[in-house]
Amino acid sequence: MRNHEHHPKRTGFFHGRGSVLAGLLVLTALAFLPGLGLAQDATSAAQSVAYRDIPGLGSRNVVWVIAQLHLLLAGFVLGVPIFAWLCEIVGWKTGDKRYDKLAKEFTKLLTSSYATTALFGGILLFLLIGFYPKLMAYLTDIFFPSFIVYCLLFLLETATLYLYWYGWDAMQDGGMKSLHLFLGFLLNVFAFFIMIVPNSWATFQASPVVISEGTEIQRAWAATWNPTWWPVNIHRLIANVVLGGYICGAYAGIRYLSAKSPEERDHYDWMGYVGNFIGVFGLLPLPFAGYWLMREIYQYNQQMGITLMGGFLSWLFILQAMLIGVLFLGSNYYFWLGITHRIPGAEVKYKRPIMAMLVILLLCLGVWMTPHSLVASLEEARKMGGTHHPLLGVFGVMSAKMTVANLMILVTFMSFIMYWRAGKQETATWAKVAKAIMGGVLGVAAVVVIVLGVWGYFVPAIVRINYFSVAQVLIVLFVMLTITPLTALLLRSAKTTTEMVWGRMPPRSAYALVLNAVMVILLMTLMGYARSSSRVHWHIYGVMRDSSQYAYSPALGYAAAFMSLNTFLFCMLVAFIFWVATMGDKAKAGGTEGKAKVPAGAVPAMAGGSPALDKE
């Protein structure tokens, strides 16, 4: 028994010491940067060696893998505190202890990942200094003041995280709870600034602003506030929430499959629902942020925009469409399973709407995945009358893709609303009017989005991009901002006709959660490659040319192999981190509860599904 009690402490100590060591590694590396970048002798030495390489592996490949793993881990670490803090606030305001427990469990995953993230950041920094000394010396000369800010933010973030996590149980009552919530708020503030400072270094390479006059701080500030800095900040902030939500959902799905008691199944079923909800919540506005980023890239440099959307990288956006489409399908499928299995009696009522939504999603996905030009043989091209298919070619342009993307967002939003309203009967006297207004708003919005999409074929591209596409986005946002509060108001006085039952979801729901997480990871690796490759043979676009042997963009097949490798390695890392995080729980459960028995036929298999539960 004594040993079991000590395991969590040892694990926590390991995490704490790992975080400190990783932090010291980063700070030590940053401490060496001034010596490398500012001292005249060191700068001269750095500029005498422009590149170093690892024979056989290649310096770029090594940096690619480490940088991608660090960015994915950082996305998870920065996304989780947002909804952990929100869950804690909900638990505090409602008095529902489930939310507080959920927030604590999210934060436990955060503490486990924090040290690994910092460790990979330190490794990445050492590799960049070693492989690209000339480039790093230039960036250090420009951004040195921001390095100091980053170090301070890192220290504040680490201290706040320790206080937030280790003070959880001690700060549960009275004014101490308010202090704990304030710590959670500070944690998110520091995390946000830790994200946007390095974003300035990365976006500067794609859209540099260089001034030769002024103080060091003025030069650093001008380089920081480059044209794509804020679009990337917003896009990455939302993407981090999506990544964190879906990974937490996958964690809950795996724990649900391996649950050994009905209580565990209930808890992880609910946690999976919350993770999926957070992922969808972020996924809905994410395409809008991506559209803003691409628009800024076009405005900064049209050639770079054409390379991304109309050049050799354009095929990546077909892959992107497929991944996003699968993500939308997976998220909706999980909602529909919830309606069918958690809410008794709802299956019959919502069967037809679900089927209609599935058909719309599949049609939209088909249009989104249609390429503008086909890879065809000479004979096939002659038969088609060119590289564009006479019928399918119509769907290959942005006007069609923007339209179906907005329609898929609307369908997913309605899935969520349908899930929200299932099992409830509106009792308000104005319910019929409200439902008629919501139906009208949704129907008119869908029609207007389609009309603008078709009209977009007959106007100049600048009109479509600046007005029609923006109008489509605003219409969809208007639908969300109108129907969400109206539904909330309507359900305040609604009567519950069927209690939601947790822990009855079939195993395939957990597989859907894991699938969604893998799709998000693949998506982030894909778009990271696209953004970096848009610089082609420049380290810093238009300022510092890449003169190494790697001054070319990797072929798509080669890049796809690396994306898959990075996704696999990240999944293995996350699995290891989660395994470490649950060691303490397993030790406690083994010591206090023994091996709880689950009702016969209710234990889901880790693979291959459970026919008994599927029949339910």
Side-chain angles (χ1 to χ4, degrees), residues 205-264:
Q205 289 186 264
S207 54
V209 175
V210 182
I211 60 172
S212 56
E213 299 177 349
T215 63
E216 281 191 355
I217 293 178
Q218 287 171 330
R219 291 171 59 216
W221 182 244
T224 298
W225 200 287
N226 63 74
T228 57
W229 184 45
W230 272 109
V232 166
N233 288 338
I234 300 301
H235 188 262
R236 190 163 280 176
L237 176 67
I238 300 173
N240 289 345
V241 173
V242 175
L243 178 72
Y246 280 123
I247 288 184
C248 286
Y251 166 80
I254 292 172
R255 294 297 301 267
Y256 178 78
L257 288 173
S258 58
K260 291 186 169 40
S261 68
E263 291 76 19
E264 277 189 44

Short mmCIF file of all heavy atoms in Angstrom, two decimals, residues 205-264:
data_model
loop_
_atom_site.label_atom_id
_atom_site.label_comp_id
_atom_site.label_asym_id
_atom_site.label_seq_id
_atom_site.Cartn_x
_atom_site.Cartn_y
_atom_site.Cartn_z
N GLN A 205 10.41 34.74 -41.87
CA GLN A 205 11.10 34.05 -42.96
C GLN A 205 10.25 34.01 -44.23
O GLN A 205 10.78 33.95 -45.34
CB GLN A 205 11.46 32.62 -42.54
CG GLN A 205 12.57 32.57 -41.51
CD GLN A 205 13.00 31.16 -41.21
OE1 GLN A 205 12.56 30.55 -40.26
NE2 GLN A 205 13.87 30.62 -42.05
N ALA A 206 8.93 34.05 -44.08
CA ALA A 206 8.05 34.01 -45.26
C ALA A 206 7.64 35.39 -45.73
O ALA A 206 7.38 35.59 -46.92
CB ALA A 206 6.81 33.18 -44.95
N SER A 207 7.53 36.35 -44.82
CA SER A 207 7.09 37.70 -45.20
C SER A 207 7.92 38.73 -44.43
O SER A 207 7.40 39.40 -43.53
CB SER A 207 5.60 37.88 -44.90
OG SER A 207 5.32 37.56 -43.56
N PRO A 208 9.21 38.84 -44.76
CA PRO A 208 10.10 39.68 -43.94
C PRO A 208 9.85 41.17 -44.09
O PRO A 208 9.49 41.65 -45.17
CB PRO A 208 11.49 39.31 -44.47
CG PRO A 208 11.26 38.86 -45.87
CD PRO A 208 9.92 38.19 -45.87
N VAL A 209 10.04 41.87 -42.98
CA VAL A 209 10.08 43.34 -42.98
C VAL A 209 11.40 43.72 -42.34
O VAL A 209 11.61 43.47 -41.15
CB VAL A 209 8.90 43.93 -42.18
CG1 VAL A 209 9.06 45.45 -42.09
CG2 VAL A 209 7.58 43.58 -42.82
N VAL A 210 12.32 44.26 -43.11
CA VAL A 210 13.66 44.57 -42.63
C VAL A 210 13.90 46.06 -42.73
O VAL A 210 13.70 46.66 -43.79
CB VAL A 210 14.73 43.83 -43.46
CG1 VAL A 210 16.12 44.12 -42.91
CG2 VAL A 210 14.47 42.33 -43.46
N ILE A 211 14.28 46.67 -41.61
CA ILE A 211 14.68 48.08 -41.63
C ILE A 211 16.12 48.17 -41.17
O ILE A 211 16.56 47.41 -40.29
CB ILE A 211 13.76 48.96 -40.76
CG1 ILE A 211 13.77 48.49 -39.30
CG2 ILE A 211 12.34 48.96 -41.30
CD1 ILE A 211 13.03 49.42 -38.36
N SER A 212 16.88 49.05 -41.78
CA SER A 212 18.31 49.15 -41.45
C SER A 212 18.58 50.22 -40.41
O SER A 212 19.67 50.28 -39.86
CB SER A 212 19.11 49.46 -42.72
OG SER A 212 18.61 50.63 -43.33
N GLU A 213 17.59 51.08 -40.14
CA GLU A 213 17.80 52.16 -39.19
C GLU A 213 17.05 51.88 -37.89
O GLU A 213 16.20 51.00 -37.83
CB GLU A 213 17.32 53.49 -39.80
CG GLU A 213 18.08 53.87 -41.06
CD GLU A 213 17.54 55.15 -41.67
OE1 GLU A 213 16.47 55.59 -41.21
OE2 GLU A 213 18.17 55.68 -42.59
N GLY A 214 17.37 52.66 -36.88
CA GLY A 214 16.67 52.52 -35.61
C GLY A 214 17.44 51.66 -34.62
O GLY A 214 18.48 51.08 -34.94
N THR A 215 16.91 51.60 -33.39
CA THR A 215 17.54 50.80 -32.35
C THR A 215 17.26 49.32 -32.58
O THR A 215 16.47 48.94 -33.44
CB THR A 215 17.00 51.22 -30.98
OG1 THR A 215 15.59 50.93 -30.96
CG2 THR A 215 17.20 52.70 -30.75
N GLU A 216 17.89 48.49 -31.75
CA GLU A 216 17.67 47.05 -31.85
C GLU A 216 16.19 46.70 -31.62
O GLU A 216 15.63 45.86 -32.30
CB GLU A 216 18.53 46.30 -30.83
CG GLU A 216 19.98 46.14 -31.23
CD GLU A 216 20.70 45.18 -30.31
OE1 GLU A 216 20.09 44.74 -29.31
OE2 GLU A 216 21.87 44.87 -30.59
N ILE A 217 15.59 47.40 -30.65
CA ILE A 217 14.19 47.10 -30.34
C ILE A 217 13.29 47.52 -31.51
O ILE A 217 12.35 46.80 -31.88
CB ILE A 217 13.77 47.83 -29.04
CG1 ILE A 217 14.53 47.23 -27.86
CG2 ILE A 217 12.27 47.75 -28.82
CD1 ILE A 217 14.27 47.88 -26.54
N GLN A 218 13.58 48.66 -32.12
CA GLN A 218 12.76 49.11 -33.26
C GLN A 218 12.89 48.14 -34.45
O GLN A 218 11.91 47.84 -35.11
CB GLN A 218 13.19 50.51 -33.67
CG GLN A 218 12.75 51.59 -32.69
CD GLN A 218 13.35 52.94 -33.00
OE1 GLN A 218 14.47 53.03 -33.54
NE2 GLN A 218 12.64 54.01 -32.66
N ARG A 219 14.10 47.66 -34.69
CA ARG A 219 14.29 46.71 -35.79
C ARG A 219 13.57 45.39 -35.50
O ARG A 219 12.94 44.79 -36.36
CB ARG A 219 15.79 46.45 -36.01
CG ARG A 219 16.54 47.67 -36.56
CD ARG A 219 18.03 47.43 -36.53
NE ARG A 219 18.42 46.26 -37.31
CZ ARG A 219 19.39 45.44 -36.98
NH1 ARG A 219 20.08 45.63 -35.88
NH2 ARG A 219 19.69 44.42 -37.74
N ALA A 220 13.68 44.95 -34.24
CA ALA A 220 13.02 43.69 -33.88
C ALA A 220 11.51 43.81 -33.96
O ALA A 220 10.82 42.89 -34.43
CB ALA A 220 13.44 43.28 -32.46
N TRP A 221 10.99 44.97 -33.55
CA TRP A 221 9.54 45.17 -33.59
C TRP A 221 9.02 45.21 -35.03
O TRP A 221 7.97 44.64 -35.34
CB TRP A 221 9.17 46.44 -32.84
CG TRP A 221 7.68 46.68 -32.79
CD1 TRP A 221 6.99 47.70 -33.35
CD2 TRP A 221 6.71 45.84 -32.14
NE1 TRP A 221 5.65 47.57 -33.10
CE2 TRP A 221 5.44 46.43 -32.35
CE3 TRP A 221 6.79 44.65 -31.41
CZ2 TRP A 221 4.27 45.87 -31.87
CZ3 TRP A 221 5.62 44.10 -30.92
CH2 TRP A 221 4.38 44.71 -31.15
N ALA A 222 9.75 45.88 -35.90
CA ALA A 222 9.34 45.93 -37.31
C ALA A 222 9.35 44.54 -37.93
O ALA A 222 8.44 44.18 -38.70
CB ALA A 222 10.29 46.86 -38.09
N ALA A 223 10.36 43.74 -37.58
CA ALA A 223 10.43 42.37 -38.12
C ALA A 223 9.33 41.50 -37.53
O ALA A 223 8.79 40.61 -38.20
CB ALA A 223 11.79 41.76 -37.83
N THR A 224 9.00 41.75 -36.26
CA THR A 224 7.95 40.95 -35.61
C THR A 224 6.59 41.21 -36.24
O THR A 224 5.84 40.29 -36.55
CB THR A 224 7.91 41.28 -34.10
OG1 THR A 224 9.15 40.92 -33.51
CG2 THR A 224 6.78 40.54 -33.41
N TRP A 225 6.28 42.50 -36.44
CA TRP A 225 4.97 42.85 -36.97
C TRP A 225 4.99 42.75 -38.51
O TRP A 225 4.76 43.72 -39.22
CB TRP A 225 4.57 44.26 -36.53
CG TRP A 225 3.09 44.48 -36.62
CD1 TRP A 225 2.36 44.64 -37.77
CD2 TRP A 225 2.14 44.55 -35.55
NE1 TRP A 225 1.03 44.80 -37.49
CE2 TRP A 225 0.87 44.76 -36.13
CE3 TRP A 225 2.26 44.45 -34.17
CZ2 TRP A 225 -0.28 44.86 -35.36
CZ3 TRP A 225 1.10 44.58 -33.41
CH2 TRP A 225 -0.14 44.78 -34.00
N ASN A 226 5.29 41.57 -39.00
CA ASN A 226 5.31 41.36 -40.45
C ASN A 226 3.90 41.00 -40.94
O ASN A 226 3.02 40.68 -40.13
CB ASN A 226 6.35 40.29 -40.81
CG ASN A 226 6.01 38.95 -40.21
OD1 ASN A 226 5.11 38.28 -40.68
ND2 ASN A 226 6.73 38.56 -39.16
N PRO A 227 3.64 41.03 -42.25
CA PRO A 227 2.26 40.90 -42.75
C PRO A 227 1.53 39.63 -42.38
O PRO A 227 0.30 39.63 -42.30
CB PRO A 227 2.45 40.99 -44.28
CG PRO A 227 3.70 41.77 -44.46
CD PRO A 227 4.59 41.38 -43.32
N THR A 228 2.23 38.52 -42.17
CA THR A 228 1.50 37.27 -41.88
C THR A 228 1.55 36.89 -40.40
O THR A 228 1.11 35.81 -40.03
CB THR A 228 2.08 36.11 -42.72
OG1 THR A 228 3.48 35.98 -42.44
CG2 THR A 228 1.88 36.35 -44.20
N TRP A 229 2.10 37.77 -39.55
CA TRP A 229 2.24 37.42 -38.13
C TRP A 229 0.89 37.19 -37.47
O TRP A 229 0.64 36.12 -36.90
CB TRP A 229 3.03 38.52 -37.41
CG TRP A 229 3.32 38.22 -35.97
CD1 TRP A 229 3.78 37.04 -35.46
CD2 TRP A 229 3.21 39.11 -34.86
NE1 TRP A 229 3.96 37.14 -34.09
CE2 TRP A 229 3.62 38.40 -33.70
CE3 TRP A 229 2.81 40.44 -34.71
CZ2 TRP A 229 3.63 38.99 -32.42
CZ3 TRP A 229 2.83 41.02 -33.44
CH2 TRP A 229 3.23 40.30 -32.32
N TRP A 230 -0.02 38.16 -37.55
CA TRP A 230 -1.31 37.99 -36.86
C TRP A 230 -2.21 36.95 -37.50
O TRP A 230 -2.88 36.19 -36.79
CB TRP A 230 -2.03 39.35 -36.73
CG TRP A 230 -1.58 40.03 -35.48
CD1 TRP A 230 -0.79 41.12 -35.38
CD2 TRP A 230 -1.84 39.61 -34.13
NE1 TRP A 230 -0.53 41.43 -34.07
CE2 TRP A 230 -1.17 40.51 -33.27
CE3 TRP A 230 -2.56 38.57 -33.55
CZ2 TRP A 230 -1.22 40.41 -31.88
CZ3 TRP A 230 -2.59 38.46 -32.16
CH2 TRP A 230 -1.94 39.36 -31.35
N PRO A 231 -2.26 36.85 -38.84
CA PRO A 231 -3.03 35.72 -39.40
C PRO A 231 -2.54 34.36 -38.91
O PRO A 231 -3.35 33.48 -38.59
CB PRO A 231 -2.83 35.87 -40.91
CG PRO A 231 -2.59 37.33 -41.11
CD PRO A 231 -1.83 37.78 -39.90
N VAL A 232 -1.21 34.19 -38.81
CA VAL A 232 -0.69 32.92 -38.31
C VAL A 232 -1.00 32.76 -36.82
O VAL A 232 -1.34 31.66 -36.35
CB VAL A 232 0.83 32.82 -38.57
CG1 VAL A 232 1.44 31.66 -37.76
CG2 VAL A 232 1.09 32.60 -40.05
N ASN A 233 -0.89 33.85 -36.06
CA ASN A 233 -1.21 33.77 -34.63
C ASN A 233 -2.63 33.27 -34.40
O ASN A 233 -2.88 32.36 -33.59
CB ASN A 233 -1.06 35.15 -33.97
CG ASN A 233 0.39 35.57 -33.83
OD1 ASN A 233 1.28 34.73 -33.85
ND2 ASN A 233 0.63 36.86 -33.73
N ILE A 234 -3.58 33.87 -35.11
CA ILE A 234 -4.99 33.48 -34.93
C ILE A 234 -5.22 32.06 -35.44
O ILE A 234 -5.89 31.24 -34.79
CB ILE A 234 -5.91 34.49 -35.66
CG1 ILE A 234 -5.71 35.90 -35.10
CG2 ILE A 234 -7.37 34.05 -35.54
CD1 ILE A 234 -5.97 36.03 -33.62
N HIS A 235 -4.66 31.78 -36.62
CA HIS A 235 -4.85 30.44 -37.19
C HIS A 235 -4.26 29.36 -36.29
O HIS A 235 -4.89 28.32 -36.04
CB HIS A 235 -4.19 30.41 -38.58
CG HIS A 235 -4.48 29.16 -39.34
ND1 HIS A 235 -3.63 28.09 -39.39
CD2 HIS A 235 -5.55 28.80 -40.10
CE1 HIS A 235 -4.15 27.14 -40.13
NE2 HIS A 235 -5.31 27.53 -40.57
N ARG A 236 -3.08 29.62 -35.77
CA ARG A 236 -2.42 28.62 -34.92
C ARG A 236 -3.11 28.50 -33.57
O ARG A 236 -3.18 27.40 -33.00
CB ARG A 236 -0.94 28.99 -34.75
CG ARG A 236 -0.11 27.91 -34.11
CD ARG A 236 1.37 28.12 -34.33
NE ARG A 236 1.81 27.69 -35.65
CZ ARG A 236 3.03 27.85 -36.11
NH1 ARG A 236 3.94 28.44 -35.36
NH2 ARG A 236 3.36 27.43 -37.31
N LEU A 237 -3.62 29.60 -33.04
CA LEU A 237 -4.34 29.54 -31.76
C LEU A 237 -5.56 28.62 -31.88
O LEU A 237 -5.79 27.74 -31.04
CB LEU A 237 -4.77 30.95 -31.34
CG LEU A 237 -5.62 31.03 -30.07
CD1 LEU A 237 -4.80 30.63 -28.85
CD2 LEU A 237 -6.18 32.45 -29.88
N ILE A 238 -6.33 28.83 -32.95
CA ILE A 238 -7.52 27.99 -33.14
C ILE A 238 -7.10 26.55 -33.41
O ILE A 238 -7.71 25.60 -32.88
CB ILE A 238 -8.37 28.54 -34.30
CG1 ILE A 238 -8.82 29.97 -33.99
CG2 ILE A 238 -9.59 27.67 -34.54
CD1 ILE A 238 -9.53 30.66 -35.15
N ALA A 239 -6.06 26.37 -34.24
CA ALA A 239 -5.61 25.02 -34.57
C ALA A 239 -5.13 24.27 -33.33
O ALA A 239 -5.34 23.06 -33.20
CB ALA A 239 -4.50 25.08 -35.61
N ASN A 240 -4.50 25.00 -32.40
CA ASN A 240 -4.04 24.36 -31.16
C ASN A 240 -5.22 23.86 -30.33
O ASN A 240 -5.16 22.79 -29.71
CB ASN A 240 -3.21 25.35 -30.34
CG ASN A 240 -1.86 25.63 -30.98
OD1 ASN A 240 -1.43 24.90 -31.87
ND2 ASN A 240 -1.21 26.68 -30.56
N VAL A 241 -6.30 24.65 -30.31
CA VAL A 241 -7.50 24.21 -29.59
C VAL A 241 -8.06 22.95 -30.23
O VAL A 241 -8.44 21.98 -29.55
CB VAL A 241 -8.56 25.33 -29.58
CG1 VAL A 241 -9.87 24.83 -28.99
CG2 VAL A 241 -8.05 26.53 -28.78
N VAL A 242 -8.09 22.94 -31.58
CA VAL A 242 -8.61 21.76 -32.30
C VAL A 242 -7.73 20.54 -31.99
O VAL A 242 -8.23 19.45 -31.67
CB VAL A 242 -8.63 22.04 -33.82
CG1 VAL A 242 -9.05 20.79 -34.58
CG2 VAL A 242 -9.59 23.19 -34.13
N LEU A 243 -6.42 20.73 -32.09
CA LEU A 243 -5.49 19.62 -31.84
C LEU A 243 -5.64 19.10 -30.41
O LEU A 243 -5.76 17.89 -30.18
CB LEU A 243 -4.05 20.09 -32.08
CG LEU A 243 -2.96 19.05 -31.80
CD1 LEU A 243 -2.95 17.96 -32.85
CD2 LEU A 243 -1.58 19.70 -31.74
N GLY A 244 -5.64 20.03 -29.45
CA GLY A 244 -5.77 19.62 -28.05
C GLY A 244 -7.08 18.90 -27.79
O GLY A 244 -7.12 17.88 -27.10
N GLY A 245 -8.18 19.43 -28.35
CA GLY A 245 -9.49 18.81 -28.14
C GLY A 245 -9.56 17.40 -28.69
O GLY A 245 -10.00 16.46 -28.00
N TYR A 246 -9.10 17.23 -29.92
CA TYR A 246 -9.19 15.90 -30.53
C TYR A 246 -8.23 14.90 -29.88
O TYR A 246 -8.54 13.71 -29.79
CB TYR A 246 -8.94 15.99 -32.03
CG TYR A 246 -10.15 16.46 -32.80
CD1 TYR A 246 -10.10 17.58 -33.62
CD2 TYR A 246 -11.36 15.77 -32.72
CE1 TYR A 246 -11.22 18.02 -34.33
CE2 TYR A 246 -12.48 16.19 -33.42
CZ TYR A 246 -12.40 17.32 -34.22
OH TYR A 246 -13.52 17.73 -34.92
N ILE A 247 -7.05 15.37 -29.46
CA ILE A 247 -6.13 14.44 -28.78
C ILE A 247 -6.69 14.02 -27.43
O ILE A 247 -6.61 12.84 -27.04
CB ILE A 247 -4.73 15.06 -28.64
CG1 ILE A 247 -4.05 15.11 -30.01
CG2 ILE A 247 -3.87 14.27 -27.67
CD1 ILE A 247 -2.64 15.62 -29.99
N CYS A 248 -7.27 14.95 -26.70
CA CYS A 248 -7.92 14.59 -25.44
C CYS A 248 -9.08 13.63 -25.70
O CYS A 248 -9.34 12.71 -24.92
CB CYS A 248 -8.42 15.84 -24.72
SG CYS A 248 -7.10 16.79 -23.97
N GLY A 249 -9.79 13.86 -26.81
CA GLY A 249 -10.87 12.94 -27.19
C GLY A 249 -10.33 11.55 -27.46
O GLY A 249 -10.91 10.54 -27.04
N ALA A 250 -9.19 11.48 -28.18
CA ALA A 250 -8.58 10.17 -28.47
C ALA A 250 -8.12 9.49 -27.19
O ALA A 250 -8.28 8.27 -27.03
CB ALA A 250 -7.41 10.37 -29.42
N TYR A 251 -7.55 10.29 -26.27
CA TYR A 251 -7.13 9.74 -24.97
C TYR A 251 -8.35 9.14 -24.25
O TYR A 251 -8.30 8.01 -23.74
CB TYR A 251 -6.50 10.85 -24.15
CG TYR A 251 -6.32 10.55 -22.68
CD1 TYR A 251 -5.25 9.78 -22.25
CD2 TYR A 251 -7.21 11.05 -21.74
CE1 TYR A 251 -5.08 9.50 -20.90
CE2 TYR A 251 -7.05 10.79 -20.39
CZ TYR A 251 -5.99 10.01 -19.98
OH TYR A 251 -5.83 9.74 -18.64
N ALA A 252 -9.46 9.89 -24.26
CA ALA A 252 -10.67 9.40 -23.60
C ALA A 252 -11.19 8.14 -24.31
O ALA A 252 -11.68 7.21 -23.65
CB ALA A 252 -11.74 10.49 -23.61
N GLY A 253 -11.09 8.13 -25.64
CA GLY A 253 -11.57 6.96 -26.38
C GLY A 253 -10.79 5.71 -26.02
O GLY A 253 -11.38 4.63 -25.81
N ILE A 254 -9.47 5.84 -25.91
CA ILE A 254 -8.65 4.66 -25.56
C ILE A 254 -8.93 4.23 -24.13
O ILE A 254 -9.04 3.04 -23.83
CB ILE A 254 -7.16 5.00 -25.78
CG1 ILE A 254 -6.89 5.17 -27.28
CG2 ILE A 254 -6.27 3.90 -25.21
CD1 ILE A 254 -5.52 5.68 -27.61
N ARG A 255 -9.05 5.22 -23.23
CA ARG A 255 -9.37 4.86 -21.84
C ARG A 255 -10.77 4.23 -21.74
O ARG A 255 -11.02 3.37 -20.90
CB ARG A 255 -9.30 6.12 -20.94
CG ARG A 255 -7.92 6.72 -20.79
CD ARG A 255 -6.94 5.77 -20.12
NE ARG A 255 -7.35 5.37 -18.79
CZ ARG A 255 -6.97 5.98 -17.67
NH1 ARG A 255 -6.17 7.03 -17.74
NH2 ARG A 255 -7.36 5.55 -16.49
N TYR A 256 -11.66 4.68 -22.62
CA TYR A 256 -13.02 4.11 -22.63
C TYR A 256 -12.97 2.64 -23.05
O TYR A 256 -13.64 1.78 -22.48
CB TYR A 256 -13.89 4.91 -23.60
CG TYR A 256 -15.30 4.40 -23.75
CD1 TYR A 256 -16.27 4.66 -22.78
CD2 TYR A 256 -15.68 3.65 -24.86
CE1 TYR A 256 -17.56 4.19 -22.91
CE2 TYR A 256 -16.97 3.18 -25.00
CZ TYR A 256 -17.90 3.45 -24.02
OH TYR A 256 -19.19 2.98 -24.16
N LEU A 257 -12.15 2.36 -24.06
CA LEU A 257 -12.05 0.98 -24.53
C LEU A 257 -11.44 0.05 -23.48
O LEU A 257 -11.77 -1.13 -23.42
CB LEU A 257 -11.19 0.93 -25.79
CG LEU A 257 -11.80 1.51 -27.07
CD1 LEU A 257 -10.78 1.54 -28.18
CD2 LEU A 257 -13.03 0.69 -27.49
N SER A 258 -10.56 0.61 -22.66
CA SER A 258 -9.88 -0.23 -21.67
C SER A 258 -10.46 -0.06 -20.27
O SER A 258 -9.86 -0.52 -19.29
CB SER A 258 -8.38 0.10 -21.65
OG SER A 258 -8.20 1.48 -21.36
N ALA A 259 -11.61 0.61 -20.16
CA ALA A 259 -12.22 0.84 -18.84
C ALA A 259 -12.59 -0.48 -18.18
O ALA A 259 -13.05 -1.42 -18.83
CB ALA A 259 -13.46 1.72 -18.98
N LYS A 260 -12.38 -0.55 -16.86
CA LYS A 260 -12.64 -1.79 -16.14
C LYS A 260 -13.83 -1.69 -15.18
O LYS A 260 -14.08 -2.60 -14.42
CB LYS A 260 -11.38 -2.20 -15.37
CG LYS A 260 -10.25 -2.64 -16.28
CD LYS A 260 -9.08 -3.17 -15.50
CE LYS A 260 -8.06 -3.86 -16.40
NZ LYS A 260 -7.81 -3.21 -17.67
N SER A 261 -14.51 -0.58 -15.20
CA SER A 261 -15.69 -0.45 -14.35
C SER A 261 -16.70 0.45 -15.04
O SER A 261 -16.33 1.28 -15.88
CB SER A 261 -15.30 0.16 -12.99
OG SER A 261 -14.90 1.50 -13.17
N PRO A 262 -17.98 0.30 -14.71
CA PRO A 262 -19.00 1.16 -15.34
C PRO A 262 -18.74 2.65 -15.08
O PRO A 262 -19.03 3.48 -15.93
CB PRO A 262 -20.29 0.69 -14.66
CG PRO A 262 -20.02 -0.70 -14.23
CD PRO A 262 -18.58 -0.75 -13.87
N GLU A 263 -18.20 2.96 -13.88
CA GLU A 263 -17.93 4.37 -13.57
C GLU A 263 -16.88 4.94 -14.52
O GLU A 263 -17.00 6.07 -15.00
CB GLU A 263 -17.44 4.51 -12.12
CG GLU A 263 -18.48 4.24 -11.06
CD GLU A 263 -18.76 2.75 -10.89
OE1 GLU A 263 -17.90 1.94 -11.32
OE2 GLU A 263 -19.82 2.40 -10.35
N GLU A 264 -15.85 4.14 -14.79
CA GLU A 264 -14.81 4.59 -15.72
C GLU A 264 -15.39 4.77 -17.12
O GLU A 264 -15.07 5.74 -17.82
CB GLU A 264 -13.66 3.57 -15.78
CG GLU A 264 -12.64 3.72 -14.68
CD GLU A 264 -11.43 2.83 -14.93
OE1 GLU A 264 -10.94 2.78 -16.07
OE2 GLU A 264 -10.99 2.17 -13.99
#
